[in-house]
Amino acid sequence: MAVLLSRRSNLLAVVVLLLCQLFLYATVSSSGSVLKQGGGEEFSEELLLKPFPDRKVLAHFHFQSRAPHSSSHGRHHHLFPKAIAQLVKKFRVKEMELSFTQGRWRYEQWGGFDPLSSNNAKPPGVELWAVFDVPQSLVDVYWRNLTHTLSGLFCASINFLESSTTYSAPELTFKPSFGNLRYGTLPREAVCTENLTPWLKLLPCRDKAGLSALMDRPSIYRGFYHSQRLRLTSSESGSDEVDSGIGLEQTLTVVLQPSSWRTGKTYSVETNIQPSWSISSIFGRNIPGKCVIAKSSNVYLQLDNGLVGELKNLERENAKYVANTFESEGFQSNHAFKISVTPDKVFEEVDNLHGKSTSVIYGFSVEKYSDSQPFDLGLTWKIPVVWSCQQAPLHASRFLMGSGNERGAIAISLESTESSEGLPTSHIIDGRCELRVDIFQVVPWYIKVYFHTLQVFVDKQPRAMADVVDKIRVSPSKDKVSPGVMEMILKLPCGSKSAAFSLEFDKGFLHIDEYPPDANQGFDIPSALISFPSFNARMNFSEDEFLNNSPILSKFQETSPVLSYTEVLLIPLTTPDFSMPYNVITITCTVFALYFGSLLNVLRRRVDEEERILRSRAGRKAGWISQLLSRLSAKLRGRPQEQPTSSLPHSFISFRLVLKILLVASIAVTWQYYFG
């Protein structure tokens, strides 16, 4: 009987296991059918790796989700995150971008002209801008509700942007939005895993499978730069756009310092070789295959145009130059570097108007890899190579001038780079070549900027504002109501080597309740946004079917202006001594304790009772023999026994009492004179 029951239980367990496998297979099949439907929901994942000249490596994760309009599929979503769909529908968001950034993008070493740096290099802290499809009178209300929702969704202090003192409404530097755009920043917001975990939950596979499995927290947050971005676009079904619906773009940009992966040749310090690296050495793990429901899963290795040009020059110098070195044949192992995995595709720019050479991108498909055979891309350098990344046309920097806690000045400096030499001829007007520069700057309300003090210098020479400034929009700050906003459109001569602008300001005073906990550290002025509409940050590739299925390469081919951010300024304000209230309270309580304690002691003390107690104590101290003799003497004389007198005379006790009263009175008079 026991054997029969055991066999039945084993059979039941097998049946349950088969049913679970059938259910999982049906779920995956239904997800695959949704992906195959035309106009259905889609999800793709891609990773771009790029070596930098300063011995660092860029890792750029790109996830893209798309869902059709809600009217066609209702409220149910197979792949698209439901929280984002509800957010778009409730707050009528037409376009939105949210970024969490730790560190600062180094434009001098990492470049600022390519699409990756222009779109993903963000200012430190939190940056949020959104366009609403509502009347202008309701934009501020929807903005406040949106900030609270995002604050709860990403476990951040985005709700601080609800105050009118923290956001603005730009008009000139951003694309036309007819007053429905709001922009806000929190420069001091700290970025940690509490913000990354909700961001990963928006992915279908989270960090359990696919490329997102590489996101090891210690590996990511030990980098020199870390920025996670969320870009949201929404279009109605009746619009003229081809891709109507909701589009969600999630990117994570990390700059890491790789450790030595393999031991290569040794060189002198002057010709230090680049460190060899692999995906496993950078992130501590391999790629276990693609996300099951991802439409495409690719990894790219990009060699910057400066690096490609330097490699070709080295080949010419060594007399080893062969035409089309970076084509699919013979590229994997050459005299400069070696790639551990054979790429599936090689992309080379068709032309580069602003550079002397073109960049090369190697493509690797992850679909054919699995847990048993993970994907691990490695790059081994053979010789030392020195190159530089292409910078923006003008290198922008911002700094403070002046000293003291009363007034100062903000200065923006623009220095010419090699990229400014490639200005398109279409911007030659009336025989003059002009370089357009757009500046957008927000200043907190407690920094009283005097916009009439604007001074312009071109090539270190003062110039009239009308000769350089084409348009300017100024919104002065209001105390505790709104910040100061300045938008300028400049037209600089193409041959200009440098330009500078300065504005004077006064420092305001804050109420003690308005100071942050770390007020002595200083107050932050958000980064200024510098854009160059005369230059386009895009890459041109030859027509290929693979490009249309790659979201990140398609993004590189879009036309967008070159953007860069300046530093966050730290300005000290007059700060009160926050320890003074504590000191005053402590001293006051001490004096009052002494005063009232002594006063109550004097008022409630009984002198006769003290004398009686002292006599009794003195009597106890006398020996039993003396007490017996005194009793016998009293009986013989027929008189009552006399109590022993106090050792302290009454006059002395009265003198102590008078001294205490005088001391308390003098303390009270002194306190009333100095502090009353």
Side-chain angles (χ1 to χ4, degrees), residues 97-141:
E97 183 174 305
L98 173 65
S99 64
F100 297 86
T101 306
Q102 179 180 353
R104 183 176 181 270
W105 185 268
R106 303 176 184 177
Y107 291 95
E108 302 88 344
Q109 290 85 15
W110 304 339
F113 203 95
D114 57 317
L116 189 63
S117 60
S118 295
N119 297 325
N120 297 278
K122 296 299 177 179
V126 171
E127 182 190 43
L128 172 66
W129 62 266
V131 181
F132 300 91
D133 189 14
V134 296
Q136 293 188 13
S137 59
L138 300 177
V139 173
D140 292 335
V141 177

mmCIF file of all heavy atoms in Angstrom, residues 97-141:
data_model
loop_
_atom_site.group_PDB
_atom_site.id
_atom_site.type_symbol
_atom_site.label_atom_id
_atom_site.label_comp_id
_atom_site.label_asym_id
_atom_site.label_seq_id
_atom_site.Cartn_x
_atom_site.Cartn_y
_atom_site.Cartn_z
ATOM 1 N N GLU A 97 11.655 64.245 -20.219
ATOM 2 C CA GLU A 97 12.986 63.668 -20.027
ATOM 3 C C GLU A 97 13.409 63.864 -18.587
ATOM 4 O O GLU A 97 13.353 64.976 -18.053
ATOM 5 C CB GLU A 97 14.010 64.295 -20.973
ATOM 6 C CG GLU A 97 15.391 63.671 -20.852
ATOM 7 C CD GLU A 97 16.361 64.194 -21.900
ATOM 8 O OE1 GLU A 97 16.030 64.109 -23.098
ATOM 9 O OE2 GLU A 97 17.440 64.694 -21.508
ATOM 10 N N LEU A 98 13.855 62.781 -17.963
ATOM 11 C CA LEU A 98 14.302 62.789 -16.577
ATOM 12 C C LEU A 98 15.657 62.105 -16.502
ATOM 13 O O LEU A 98 15.843 61.027 -17.070
ATOM 14 C CB LEU A 98 13.287 62.053 -15.684
ATOM 15 C CG LEU A 98 13.683 61.820 -14.230
ATOM 16 C CD1 LEU A 98 13.805 63.131 -13.486
ATOM 17 C CD2 LEU A 98 12.671 60.911 -13.545
ATOM 18 N N SER A 99 16.599 62.730 -15.812
ATOM 19 C CA SER A 99 17.952 62.177 -15.703
ATOM 20 C C SER A 99 18.447 62.295 -14.271
ATOM 21 O O SER A 99 18.183 63.285 -13.585
ATOM 22 C CB SER A 99 18.928 62.888 -16.651
ATOM 23 O OG SER A 99 19.065 64.256 -16.298
ATOM 24 N N PHE A 100 19.161 61.255 -13.831
ATOM 25 C CA PHE A 100 19.856 61.221 -12.542
ATOM 26 C C PHE A 100 21.342 61.060 -12.854
ATOM 27 O O PHE A 100 21.737 60.055 -13.461
ATOM 28 C CB PHE A 100 19.378 60.052 -11.680
ATOM 29 C CG PHE A 100 17.926 60.109 -11.301
ATOM 30 C CD1 PHE A 100 16.962 59.595 -12.142
ATOM 31 C CD2 PHE A 100 17.541 60.675 -10.104
ATOM 32 C CE1 PHE A 100 15.626 59.629 -11.801
ATOM 33 C CE2 PHE A 100 16.204 60.719 -9.746
ATOM 34 C CZ PHE A 100 15.248 60.204 -10.599
ATOM 35 N N THR A 101 22.146 62.001 -12.431
ATOM 36 C CA THR A 101 23.557 62.016 -12.824
ATOM 37 C C THR A 101 24.438 62.189 -11.595
ATOM 38 O O THR A 101 24.147 63.002 -10.718
ATOM 39 C CB THR A 101 23.843 63.146 -13.826
ATOM 40 O OG1 THR A 101 22.939 63.040 -14.926
ATOM 41 C CG2 THR A 101 25.270 63.068 -14.334
ATOM 42 N N GLN A 102 25.505 61.419 -11.581
ATOM 43 C CA GLN A 102 26.538 61.531 -10.549
ATOM 44 C C GLN A 102 27.879 61.715 -11.239
ATOM 45 O O GLN A 102 28.287 60.890 -12.052
ATOM 46 C CB GLN A 102 26.544 60.284 -9.669
ATOM 47 C CG GLN A 102 27.607 60.299 -8.577
ATOM 48 C CD GLN A 102 27.577 59.035 -7.740
ATOM 49 O OE1 GLN A 102 26.687 58.214 -7.885
ATOM 50 N NE2 GLN A 102 28.550 58.879 -6.876
ATOM 51 N N GLY A 103 28.571 62.802 -10.927
ATOM 52 C CA GLY A 103 29.818 63.132 -11.615
ATOM 53 C C GLY A 103 29.573 64.147 -12.711
ATOM 54 O O GLY A 103 28.442 64.583 -12.966
ATOM 55 N N ARG A 104 30.645 64.526 -13.391
ATOM 56 C CA ARG A 104 30.564 65.511 -14.465
ATOM 57 C C ARG A 104 31.247 64.970 -15.706
ATOM 58 O O ARG A 104 32.317 64.362 -15.630
ATOM 59 C CB ARG A 104 31.219 66.837 -14.051
ATOM 60 C CG ARG A 104 31.096 67.923 -15.120
ATOM 61 C CD ARG A 104 31.659 69.254 -14.644
ATOM 62 N NE ARG A 104 31.514 70.271 -15.665
ATOM 63 C CZ ARG A 104 32.422 70.530 -16.613
ATOM 64 N NH1 ARG A 104 33.554 69.849 -16.621
ATOM 65 N NH2 ARG A 104 32.218 71.464 -17.520
ATOM 66 N N TRP A 105 30.605 65.177 -16.845
ATOM 67 C CA TRP A 105 31.157 64.738 -18.115
ATOM 68 C C TRP A 105 32.357 65.609 -18.476
ATOM 69 O O TRP A 105 32.246 66.833 -18.538
ATOM 70 C CB TRP A 105 30.091 64.820 -19.204
ATOM 71 C CG TRP A 105 30.530 64.273 -20.524
ATOM 72 C CD1 TRP A 105 31.113 64.983 -21.539
ATOM 73 C CD2 TRP A 105 30.446 62.923 -20.983
ATOM 74 N NE1 TRP A 105 31.393 64.165 -22.595
ATOM 75 C CE2 TRP A 105 30.992 62.884 -22.284
ATOM 76 C CE3 TRP A 105 29.961 61.752 -20.424
ATOM 77 C CZ2 TRP A 105 31.055 61.711 -23.026
ATOM 78 C CZ3 TRP A 105 30.026 60.590 -21.157
ATOM 79 C CH2 TRP A 105 30.569 60.585 -22.444
ATOM 80 N N ARG A 106 33.485 64.969 -18.733
ATOM 81 C CA ARG A 106 34.718 65.694 -19.061
ATOM 82 C C ARG A 106 34.795 65.870 -20.573
ATOM 83 O O ARG A 106 35.207 64.971 -21.308
ATOM 84 C CB ARG A 106 35.937 64.927 -18.546
ATOM 85 C CG ARG A 106 35.893 64.662 -17.046
ATOM 86 C CD ARG A 106 37.077 63.820 -16.602
ATOM 87 N NE ARG A 106 36.994 63.481 -15.176
ATOM 88 C CZ ARG A 106 37.873 62.704 -14.544
ATOM 89 N NH1 ARG A 106 38.885 62.171 -15.230
ATOM 90 N NH2 ARG A 106 37.715 62.451 -13.264
ATOM 91 N N TYR A 107 34.372 67.043 -21.020
ATOM 92 C CA TYR A 107 34.307 67.292 -22.459
ATOM 93 C C TYR A 107 35.692 67.306 -23.095
ATOM 94 O O TYR A 107 35.827 66.980 -24.273
ATOM 95 C CB TYR A 107 33.599 68.627 -22.723
ATOM 96 C CG TYR A 107 32.127 68.606 -22.386
ATOM 97 C CD1 TYR A 107 31.668 69.051 -21.148
ATOM 98 C CD2 TYR A 107 31.190 68.141 -23.297
ATOM 99 C CE1 TYR A 107 30.329 69.044 -20.835
ATOM 100 C CE2 TYR A 107 29.835 68.127 -22.990
ATOM 101 C CZ TYR A 107 29.412 68.575 -21.763
ATOM 102 O OH TYR A 107 28.072 68.547 -21.453
ATOM 103 N N GLU A 108 36.729 67.691 -22.355
ATOM 104 C CA GLU A 108 38.062 67.748 -22.942
ATOM 105 C C GLU A 108 38.603 66.365 -23.260
ATOM 106 O O GLU A 108 39.253 66.172 -24.294
ATOM 107 C CB GLU A 108 39.034 68.471 -21.993
ATOM 108 C CG GLU A 108 38.625 69.887 -21.639
ATOM 109 C CD GLU A 108 37.707 69.915 -20.438
ATOM 110 O OE1 GLU A 108 37.144 68.847 -20.078
ATOM 111 O OE2 GLU A 108 37.531 71.002 -19.858
ATOM 112 N N GLN A 109 38.360 65.376 -22.402
ATOM 113 C CA GLN A 109 38.896 64.034 -22.618
ATOM 114 C C GLN A 109 37.901 63.104 -23.322
ATOM 115 O O GLN A 109 38.306 62.231 -24.084
ATOM 116 C CB GLN A 109 39.297 63.392 -21.280
ATOM 117 C CG GLN A 109 40.514 64.009 -20.633
ATOM 118 C CD GLN A 109 40.178 65.220 -19.806
ATOM 119 O OE1 GLN A 109 39.024 65.452 -19.480
ATOM 120 N NE2 GLN A 109 41.189 66.013 -19.480
ATOM 121 N N TRP A 110 36.609 63.261 -23.068
ATOM 122 C CA TRP A 110 35.614 62.314 -23.568
ATOM 123 C C TRP A 110 34.847 62.825 -24.778
ATOM 124 O O TRP A 110 34.011 62.098 -25.316
ATOM 125 C CB TRP A 110 34.639 61.957 -22.452
ATOM 126 C CG TRP A 110 35.312 61.422 -21.230
ATOM 127 C CD1 TRP A 110 36.567 60.875 -21.153
ATOM 128 C CD2 TRP A 110 34.787 61.381 -19.898
ATOM 129 N NE1 TRP A 110 36.855 60.498 -19.872
ATOM 130 C CE2 TRP A 110 35.788 60.797 -19.073
ATOM 131 C CE3 TRP A 110 33.592 61.768 -19.325
ATOM 132 C CZ2 TRP A 110 35.604 60.605 -17.713
ATOM 133 C CZ3 TRP A 110 33.407 61.573 -17.977
ATOM 134 C CH2 TRP A 110 34.405 61.001 -17.176
ATOM 135 N N GLY A 111 35.105 64.046 -25.206
ATOM 136 C CA GLY A 111 34.463 64.576 -26.400
ATOM 137 C C GLY A 111 33.118 65.220 -26.114
ATOM 138 O O GLY A 111 32.504 65.012 -25.064
ATOM 139 N N GLY A 112 32.661 66.021 -27.070
ATOM 140 C CA GLY A 112 31.383 66.705 -26.927
ATOM 141 C C GLY A 112 30.688 66.973 -28.236
ATOM 142 O O GLY A 112 29.733 67.752 -28.277
ATOM 143 N N PHE A 113 31.159 66.330 -29.320
ATOM 144 C CA PHE A 113 30.593 66.601 -30.643
ATOM 145 C C PHE A 113 29.729 65.453 -31.149
ATOM 146 O O PHE A 113 28.874 65.651 -32.008
ATOM 147 C CB PHE A 113 31.722 66.865 -31.656
ATOM 148 C CG PHE A 113 31.276 67.649 -32.844
ATOM 149 C CD1 PHE A 113 31.430 69.012 -32.882
ATOM 150 C CD2 PHE A 113 30.692 67.024 -33.936
ATOM 151 C CE1 PHE A 113 31.007 69.747 -33.983
ATOM 152 C CE2 PHE A 113 30.271 67.740 -35.033
ATOM 153 C CZ PHE A 113 30.427 69.114 -35.063
ATOM 154 N N ASP A 114 29.918 64.257 -30.662
ATOM 155 C CA ASP A 114 29.192 63.102 -31.173
ATOM 156 C C ASP A 114 27.788 63.060 -30.591
ATOM 157 O O ASP A 114 27.488 63.718 -29.593
ATOM 158 C CB ASP A 114 29.952 61.818 -30.826
ATOM 159 C CG ASP A 114 30.174 61.672 -29.341
ATOM 160 O OD1 ASP A 114 30.524 62.688 -28.693
ATOM 161 O OD2 ASP A 114 29.979 60.582 -28.809
ATOM 162 N N PRO A 115 26.880 62.290 -31.174
ATOM 163 C CA PRO A 115 25.499 62.218 -30.658
ATOM 164 C C PRO A 115 25.409 61.662 -29.245
ATOM 165 O O PRO A 115 24.508 62.041 -28.495
ATOM 166 C CB PRO A 115 24.800 61.292 -31.664
ATOM 167 C CG PRO A 115 25.648 61.313 -32.882
ATOM 168 C CD PRO A 115 27.054 61.518 -32.414
ATOM 169 N N LEU A 116 26.327 60.783 -28.884
ATOM 170 C CA LEU A 116 26.259 60.182 -27.559
ATOM 171 C C LEU A 116 26.468 61.213 -26.459
ATOM 172 O O LEU A 116 25.720 61.268 -25.479
ATOM 173 C CB LEU A 116 27.299 59.067 -27.446
ATOM 174 C CG LEU A 116 27.227 58.190 -26.199
ATOM 175 C CD1 LEU A 116 25.917 57.440 -26.158
ATOM 176 C CD2 LEU A 116 28.398 57.229 -26.158
ATOM 177 N N SER A 117 27.473 62.062 -26.603
ATOM 178 C CA SER A 117 27.749 63.071 -25.582
ATOM 179 C C SER A 117 26.721 64.193 -25.603
ATOM 180 O O SER A 117 26.369 64.746 -24.555
ATOM 181 C CB SER A 117 29.156 63.638 -25.772
ATOM 182 O OG SER A 117 29.287 64.242 -27.052
ATOM 183 N N SER A 118 26.215 64.550 -26.768
ATOM 184 C CA SER A 118 25.240 65.636 -26.838
ATOM 185 C C SER A 118 23.905 65.258 -26.220
ATOM 186 O O SER A 118 23.226 66.107 -25.632
ATOM 187 C CB SER A 118 25.026 66.062 -28.299
ATOM 188 O OG SER A 118 26.209 66.623 -28.843
ATOM 189 N N ASN A 119 23.518 63.996 -26.329
ATOM 190 C CA ASN A 119 22.210 63.573 -25.836
ATOM 191 C C ASN A 119 22.253 62.962 -24.451
ATOM 192 O O ASN A 119 21.217 62.938 -23.767
ATOM 193 C CB ASN A 119 21.586 62.558 -26.805
ATOM 194 C CG ASN A 119 21.330 63.148 -28.175
ATOM 195 O OD1 ASN A 119 20.991 64.315 -28.313
ATOM 196 N ND2 ASN A 119 21.497 62.333 -29.208
ATOM 197 N N ASN A 120 23.398 62.458 -24.002
ATOM 198 C CA ASN A 120 23.454 61.712 -22.752
ATOM 199 C C ASN A 120 24.384 62.321 -21.712
ATOM 200 O O ASN A 120 24.429 61.805 -20.590
ATOM 201 C CB ASN A 120 23.884 60.267 -23.021
ATOM 202 C CG ASN A 120 22.898 59.516 -23.880
ATOM 203 O OD1 ASN A 120 21.879 59.007 -23.418
ATOM 204 N ND2 ASN A 120 23.181 59.447 -25.178
ATOM 205 N N ALA A 121 25.151 63.343 -22.044
ATOM 206 C CA ALA A 121 25.963 64.042 -21.048
ATOM 207 C C ALA A 121 25.070 65.047 -20.328
ATOM 208 O O ALA A 121 24.663 66.056 -20.901
ATOM 209 C CB ALA A 121 27.153 64.733 -21.709
ATOM 210 N N LYS A 122 24.745 64.771 -19.069
ATOM 211 C CA LYS A 122 23.787 65.559 -18.317
ATOM 212 C C LYS A 122 24.459 66.248 -17.138
ATOM 213 O O LYS A 122 25.537 65.857 -16.693
ATOM 214 C CB LYS A 122 22.648 64.665 -17.816
ATOM 215 C CG LYS A 122 21.810 64.061 -18.932
ATOM 216 C CD LYS A 122 21.143 65.151 -19.768
ATOM 217 C CE LYS A 122 20.359 64.586 -20.922
ATOM 218 N NZ LYS A 122 19.691 65.642 -21.705
ATOM 219 N N PRO A 123 23.831 67.291 -16.596
ATOM 220 C CA PRO A 123 24.415 67.988 -15.436
ATOM 221 C C PRO A 123 24.270 67.166 -14.173
ATOM 222 O O PRO A 123 23.413 66.271 -14.076
ATOM 223 C CB PRO A 123 23.589 69.284 -15.365
ATOM 224 C CG PRO A 123 22.274 68.921 -15.957
ATOM 225 C CD PRO A 123 22.586 67.938 -17.047
ATOM 226 N N PRO A 124 25.096 67.413 -13.167
ATOM 227 C CA PRO A 124 25.001 66.645 -11.914
ATOM 228 C C PRO A 124 23.650 66.850 -11.234
ATOM 229 O O PRO A 124 23.037 67.910 -11.312
ATOM 230 C CB PRO A 124 26.148 67.203 -11.064
ATOM 231 C CG PRO A 124 27.082 67.836 -12.042
ATOM 232 C CD PRO A 124 26.238 68.331 -13.161
ATOM 233 N N GLY A 125 23.194 65.793 -10.567
ATOM 234 C CA GLY A 125 21.922 65.871 -9.866
ATOM 235 C C GLY A 125 20.768 65.385 -10.725
ATOM 236 O O GLY A 125 20.901 64.453 -11.523
ATOM 237 N N VAL A 126 19.634 66.022 -10.569
ATOM 238 C CA VAL A 126 18.404 65.669 -11.278
ATOM 239 C C VAL A 126 18.042 66.784 -12.245
ATOM 240 O O VAL A 126 18.082 67.966 -11.881
ATOM 241 C CB VAL A 126 17.246 65.418 -10.288
ATOM 242 C CG1 VAL A 126 15.922 65.270 -11.029
ATOM 243 C CG2 VAL A 126 17.519 64.184 -9.461
ATOM 244 N N GLU A 127 17.716 66.396 -13.469
ATOM 245 C CA GLU A 127 17.217 67.337 -14.470
ATOM 246 C C GLU A 127 15.902 66.794 -15.019
ATOM 247 O O GLU A 127 15.812 65.620 -15.394
ATOM 248 C CB GLU A 127 18.216 67.528 -15.607
ATOM 249 C CG GLU A 127 17.736 68.545 -16.643
ATOM 250 C CD GLU A 127 18.604 68.550 -17.895
ATOM 251 O OE1 GLU A 127 18.955 67.452 -18.361
ATOM 252 O OE2 GLU A 127 18.909 69.641 -18.412
ATOM 253 N N LEU A 128 14.888 67.638 -15.068
ATOM 254 C CA LEU A 128 13.560 67.232 -15.538
ATOM 255 C C LEU A 128 12.974 68.335 -16.394
ATOM 256 O O LEU A 128 12.979 69.504 -15.994
ATOM 257 C CB LEU A 128 12.639 66.934 -14.351
ATOM 258 C CG LEU A 128 11.164 66.674 -14.680
ATOM 259 C CD1 LEU A 128 11.003 65.393 -15.493
ATOM 260 C CD2 LEU A 128 10.319 66.616 -13.408
ATOM 261 N N TRP A 129 12.517 67.967 -17.566
ATOM 262 C CA TRP A 129 11.718 68.882 -18.380
ATOM 263 C C TRP A 129 10.593 68.092 -19.037
ATOM 264 O O TRP A 129 10.724 66.905 -19.336
ATOM 265 C CB TRP A 129 12.572 69.619 -19.424
ATOM 266 C CG TRP A 129 13.251 68.747 -20.441
ATOM 267 C CD1 TRP A 129 14.509 68.246 -20.398
ATOM 268 C CD2 TRP A 129 12.685 68.301 -21.688
ATOM 269 N NE1 TRP A 129 14.776 67.512 -21.511
ATOM 270 C CE2 TRP A 129 13.678 67.526 -22.333
ATOM 271 C CE3 TRP A 129 11.459 68.472 -22.319
ATOM 272 C CZ2 TRP A 129 13.470 66.934 -23.568
ATOM 273 C CZ3 TRP A 129 11.240 67.877 -23.555
ATOM 274 C CH2 TRP A 129 12.250 67.126 -24.165
ATOM 275 N N ALA A 130 9.473 68.758 -19.215
ATOM 276 C CA ALA A 130 8.285 68.091 -19.726
ATOM 277 C C ALA A 130 7.457 69.082 -20.527
ATOM 278 O O ALA A 130 7.424 70.280 -20.229
ATOM 279 C CB ALA A 130 7.459 67.500 -18.586
ATOM 280 N N VAL A 131 6.789 68.553 -21.551
ATOM 281 C CA VAL A 131 5.855 69.307 -22.382
ATOM 282 C C VAL A 131 4.480 68.683 -22.189
ATOM 283 O O VAL A 131 4.318 67.469 -22.347
ATOM 284 C CB VAL A 131 6.266 69.281 -23.866
ATOM 285 C CG1 VAL A 131 5.286 70.089 -24.704
ATOM 286 C CG2 VAL A 131 7.681 69.814 -24.041
ATOM 287 N N PHE A 132 3.490 69.514 -21.864
ATOM 288 C CA PHE A 132 2.147 69.043 -21.567
ATOM 289 C C PHE A 132 1.186 69.439 -22.682
ATOM 290 O O PHE A 132 1.308 70.524 -23.269
ATOM 291 C CB PHE A 132 1.657 69.615 -20.234
ATOM 292 C CG PHE A 132 2.510 69.250 -19.059
ATOM 293 C CD1 PHE A 132 3.576 70.075 -18.670
ATOM 294 C CD2 PHE A 132 2.274 68.100 -18.333
ATOM 295 C CE1 PHE A 132 4.360 69.755 -17.583
ATOM 296 C CE2 PHE A 132 3.061 67.767 -17.249
ATOM 297 C CZ PHE A 132 4.099 68.587 -16.873
ATOM 298 N N ASP A 133 0.242 68.561 -22.924
ATOM 299 C CA ASP A 133 -0.797 68.811 -23.919
ATOM 300 C C ASP A 133 -2.061 69.309 -23.219
ATOM 301 O O ASP A 133 -3.130 68.689 -23.277
ATOM 302 C CB ASP A 133 -1.073 67.529 -24.710
ATOM 303 C CG ASP A 133 -1.981 67.770 -25.907
ATOM 304 O OD1 ASP A 133 -2.178 68.945 -26.270
ATOM 305 O OD2 ASP A 133 -2.506 66.791 -26.462
ATOM 306 N N VAL A 134 -1.927 70.432 -22.535
ATOM 307 C CA VAL A 134 -3.031 71.046 -21.795
ATOM 308 C C VAL A 134 -2.982 72.552 -22.024
ATOM 309 O O VAL A 134 -1.967 73.084 -22.500
ATOM 310 C CB VAL A 134 -2.925 70.731 -20.283
ATOM 311 C CG1 VAL A 134 -3.071 69.246 -20.028
ATOM 312 C CG2 VAL A 134 -1.619 71.248 -19.704
ATOM 313 N N PRO A 135 -4.042 73.278 -21.704
ATOM 314 C CA PRO A 135 -3.983 74.747 -21.788
ATOM 315 C C PRO A 135 -2.903 75.325 -20.880
ATOM 316 O O PRO A 135 -2.540 74.725 -19.863
ATOM 317 C CB PRO A 135 -5.390 75.174 -21.352
ATOM 318 C CG PRO A 135 -6.255 73.986 -21.621
ATOM 319 C CD PRO A 135 -5.394 72.788 -21.387
ATOM 320 N N GLN A 136 -2.410 76.489 -21.241
ATOM 321 C CA GLN A 136 -1.304 77.083 -20.485
ATOM 322 C C GLN A 136 -1.673 77.381 -19.038
ATOM 323 O O GLN A 136 -0.816 77.363 -18.157
ATOM 324 C CB GLN A 136 -0.844 78.371 -21.173
ATOM 325 C CG GLN A 136 -0.209 78.148 -22.529
ATOM 326 C CD GLN A 136 0.404 79.421 -23.084
ATOM 327 O OE1 GLN A 136 0.564 80.413 -22.368
ATOM 328 N NE2 GLN A 136 0.744 79.404 -24.360
ATOM 329 N N SER A 137 -2.934 77.638 -18.778
ATOM 330 C CA SER A 137 -3.341 77.942 -17.405
ATOM 331 C C SER A 137 -3.250 76.729 -16.481
ATOM 332 O O SER A 137 -3.210 76.883 -15.257
ATOM 333 C CB SER A 137 -4.773 78.481 -17.401
ATOM 334 O OG SER A 137 -5.659 77.524 -17.978
ATOM 335 N N LEU A 138 -3.188 75.531 -17.051
ATOM 336 C CA LEU A 138 -3.135 74.313 -16.245
ATOM 337 C C LEU A 138 -1.756 73.652 -16.234
ATOM 338 O O LEU A 138 -1.597 72.596 -15.614
ATOM 339 C CB LEU A 138 -4.164 73.298 -16.754
ATOM 340 C CG LEU A 138 -5.630 73.731 -16.733
ATOM 341 C CD1 LEU A 138 -6.503 72.649 -17.338
ATOM 342 C CD2 LEU A 138 -6.091 74.047 -15.315
ATOM 343 N N VAL A 139 -0.788 74.240 -16.910
ATOM 344 C CA VAL A 139 0.526 73.608 -17.020
ATOM 345 C C VAL A 139 1.190 73.495 -15.655
ATOM 346 O O VAL A 139 1.743 72.440 -15.298
ATOM 347 C CB VAL A 139 1.414 74.389 -18.008
ATOM 348 C CG1 VAL A 139 2.835 73.846 -17.986
ATOM 349 C CG2 VAL A 139 0.846 74.298 -19.404
ATOM 350 N N ASP A 140 1.148 74.554 -14.855
ATOM 351 C CA ASP A 140 1.799 74.522 -13.546
ATOM 352 C C ASP A 140 1.165 73.490 -12.618
ATOM 353 O O ASP A 140 1.862 72.812 -11.845
ATOM 354 C CB ASP A 140 1.735 75.907 -12.898
ATOM 355 C CG ASP A 140 2.596 76.920 -13.632
ATOM 356 O OD1 ASP A 140 3.567 76.502 -14.284
ATOM 357 O OD2 ASP A 140 2.289 78.127 -13.565
ATOM 358 N N VAL A 141 -0.144 73.333 -12.696
ATOM 359 C CA VAL A 141 -0.824 72.339 -11.857
ATOM 360 C C VAL A 141 -0.404 70.927 -12.254
ATOM 361 O O VAL A 141 -0.091 70.080 -11.398
ATOM 362 C CB VAL A 141 -2.350 72.508 -11.961
ATOM 363 C CG1 VAL A 141 -3.061 71.440 -11.142
ATOM 364 C CG2 VAL A 141 -2.762 73.901 -11.507
#
